[in-house]
Amino acid sequence: MNKGKTSKKSVFSRINAWLHLWLGIFSGIILIFVALTGTLIVYGDEIIEWSAGKARYAEQVKPERLPMETLIANMNKAYPQAKLSEVTVYKNPERTVRFRTFARGKGLGFAYADPYTGKVLKYDRTANFFYIMAHLHASFLWHGTGEWIVDIATIIFLIEIISGIILWWPRKWNQHTRDASFKIKWKARFKRVNYDLHNVLGFYASILALILTVTGLIIAFHPLAATTAKIFGGDIETKWQKDMPKSDTTRSALAINTVFEQEFSRHPQQKAGQIWLYNLDSAGFYMVTTASKLGLKSAEHAQLSFINKYTGADLRLPPKSLKGEYIENTVWQLHMGTWMGPVGKLFTFICGLICTSLPITGFLIWWHRGKKKKKKQHPLKKTEVLVPA
């Protein structure tokens, strides 16, 4: 026997292959579910915009806008069961004002109000679908236990990606291994095509899949998020809020419209601004985010401002705390696919589809190999004769 032709795999290679196989088999169903629900969320912002339809635009642009406080009062009157959590204003004068709401029994929604008449044009609950998908993605809607199941499956997927790259890496680089590693043989038999879909597409998606997996773990584990922020010179703890001004009912608050005008003048390149309303009655400051695009969980090219509610003066956060806010937004951008506009979303969506398919194609590879081994181990037929050597 020629020993050169039967080079045995190292112990590391065998352990790596074993882990890749059985961890994938063990967690496959969960990984498919988590990847699929995550993929469905990617274009959530665009679908919510599309669903709003004509309500995104005012009926007629007028010289003066109504005070934001009037719009908020109108919203509370029209939908008393819905709690307002934020308001978004667009620089484009034709756009309506958008309120994020949450109502018991109805979930997350967006209401669109004409800034010139105060009329509520639409209350749209499309966002609640993505709210449910996000919680299915993070916890199966099972607080506590479900979160741990998803987190453990995510750690397994991280191991799967790394072990998969090791398995994919050719021992020798030549024309044959390059073709096998980077190309799908579409004209081959199903088993070969399925293998290539797992091997080749898995490699192409690996870098972005690593980013999505690692950012998912950072979001899930607060200590990991805090450590990540610390490494990059930030701090995500919210102790700074204790030092911010508190609400003072004896003083008149600065008009919210004035705050938005000030921020758009300060950041003329930004297209939208957002103020949190959930603590409007208790806080003595406005937290304002301006961005080129505001999404459900992240903002593109975000600029944060903290403004005294009564004087209009800028409030300075500790530098590490401010940087921590930007780091947290960056993590969400990477996880939601908003890191490079439409291109980033497209890549994230495709990567999500590939990640959803990998447990399926991997299972089929294992299944076909099992059937092949059974065929090889069939007993001798009666007509066959054993001839001694």
Side-chain angles (χ1 to χ4, degrees):
M1 186 180 289
N2 189 339
K3 293 183 180 179
K5 291 183 180 179
T6 58
S7 55
K8 293 182 178 180
K9 291 184 179 179
S10 66
V11 174
F12 172 78
S13 296
R14 281 181 285 167
I15 292 174
N16 181 73
W18 186 89
L19 284 173
H20 188 79
L21 170 62
W22 292 109
L23 287 178
I25 296 293
F26 173 74
S27 62
I29 297 296
I30 299 171
L31 291 177
I32 291 169
F33 185 85
V34 172
L36 180 59
T37 50
T39 304
L40 292 174
I41 297 168
V42 173
Y43 282 108
D45 294 327
E46 287 75 10
I47 293 171
I48 290 168
E49 280 279 294
W50 170 81
S51 179
K54 294 180 180 179
R56 291 178 296 164
Y57 298 96
E59 295 173 346
Q60 182 183 357
V61 176
K62 297 181 180 180
E64 294 291 331
R65 287 172 172 255
L66 288 176
M68 183 61 67
E69 292 73 13
T70 301
L71 299 184
I72 292 172
N74 289 349
M75 273 297 307
N76 288 328
K77 185 178 179 180
Y79 302 99
Q81 76 282 6
K83 292 184 178 180
L84 306 183
S85 58
E86 71 181 23
V87 60
T88 300
V89 170
Y90 299 90
K91 196 173 182 181
N92 181 354
E94 295 180 355
R95 290 295 302 266
T96 52
V97 173
R98 188 175 85 168
F99 291 95
R100 182 190 291 213
T101 70
F102 193 88
R104 183 172 294 180
K106 293 186 177 181
L108 185 67
F110 284 108
Y112 300 82
D114 190 316
Y116 306 103
T117 65
K119 181 181 177 181
V120 180
L121 301 178
K122 188 172 186 178
Y123 178 62
D124 188 12
R125 294 181 56 227
T126 304
N128 196 52
F129 170 80
F130 297 102
Y131 176 81
I132 293 170
M133 285 298 109
H135 283 269
L136 285 170
H137 177 70
S139 66
F140 298 115
L141 290 175
W142 187 9
H143 182 68
T145 304
E147 290 170 337
W148 275 108
I149 292 171
V150 172
D151 294 344
I152 291 168
T154 305
I155 293 169
I156 289 174
F157 190 57
L158 180 62
I159 297 169
E160 287 287 278
I161 296 169
I162 297 169
S163 61
I165 293 172
I166 294 169
L167 285 170
W168 170 89
W169 198 272
R171 292 184 182 181
K172 293 181 180 179
W173 287 100
N174 52 46
Q175 186 62 44
H176 174 73
T177 57
R178 281 195 294 271
D179 288 344
S181 301
F182 296 108
K183 296 180 182 178
I184 298 173
K185 294 182 179 178
W186 295 107
K187 294 182 180 180
R189 291 184 178 183
F190 172 77
K191 286 193 290 185
R192 177 66 197 195
V193 174
N194 180 73
Y195 176 81
D196 286 347
L197 288 173
H198 188 81
N199 191 50
V200 178
L201 291 186
F203 165 73
Y204 284 131
S206 59
I207 299 300
L208 189 49
L210 276 172
I211 292 171
L212 293 173
T213 305
V214 171
T215 52
L217 291 172
I218 291 171
I219 292 166
F221 293 106
H222 182 79
L224 184 57
T227 302
T228 302
K230 190 174 182 180
I231 289 171
F232 290 97
D235 183 2
I236 62 168
E237 301 300 331
T238 56
K239 295 176 182 177
W240 55 267
Q241 292 185 6
K242 296 179 180 179
D243 300 324
M244 299 296 274
K246 303 297 185 293
S247 177
D248 185 351
T249 55
T250 64
R251 304 175 69 184
S252 298
L254 188 68
I256 295 175
N257 282 350
T258 302
V259 175
F260 279 122
E261 288 171 8
Q262 176 182 307
E263 291 305 299
F264 283 138
S265 176
R266 184 185 297 183
H267 307 290
Q269 77 282 5
Q270 306 291 45
K271 296 180 180 179
Q274 189 177 84
I275 287 180
W276 287 98
L277 300 177
Y278 74 95
N279 61 347
L280 191 64
D281 294 334
S282 59
F285 67 97
Y286 294 121
M287 178 178 175
V288 191
T289 303
T290 56
S292 59
K293 186 176 181 180
L294 289 165
L296 279 172
K297 295 298 294 185
S298 65
E300 297 179 31
H301 307 107
Q303 292 288 335
L304 289 175
S305 297
F306 297 84
I307 298 168
N308 188 298
K309 195 174 179 179
Y310 307 104
T311 66
D314 285 326
L315 300 172
R316 301 294 180 185
L317 261 67
K320 286 187 176 182
S321 296
L322 184 59
K323 194 166 188 178
E325 294 287 335
Y326 285 115
I327 290 169
E328 193 171 13
N329 181 63
T330 300
V331 169
W332 274 107
Q333 277 193 282
L334 290 170
H335 195 68
M336 296 293 291
T338 61
W339 44 273
M340 206 168 72
V343 175
K345 284 216 168 187
L346 179 61
F347 284 167
T348 302
F349 182 76
I350 293 171
C351 180
L353 291 177
I354 293 172
C355 289
T356 304
S357 74
L358 290 176
I360 300 170
T361 53
F363 174 81
L364 290 174
I365 291 170
W366 171 75
W367 180 260
H368 286 301
R369 283 181 179 173
K371 290 174 69 176
K372 189 176 179 181
K373 285 180 181 179
K374 285 182 180 179
K375 286 182 180 180
K376 285 183 177 180
Q377 293 173 359
H378 69 275
L380 294 170
K381 295 179 182 178
K382 291 181 181 180
T383 54
E384 292 177 319
V385 180
L386 290 175
V387 180

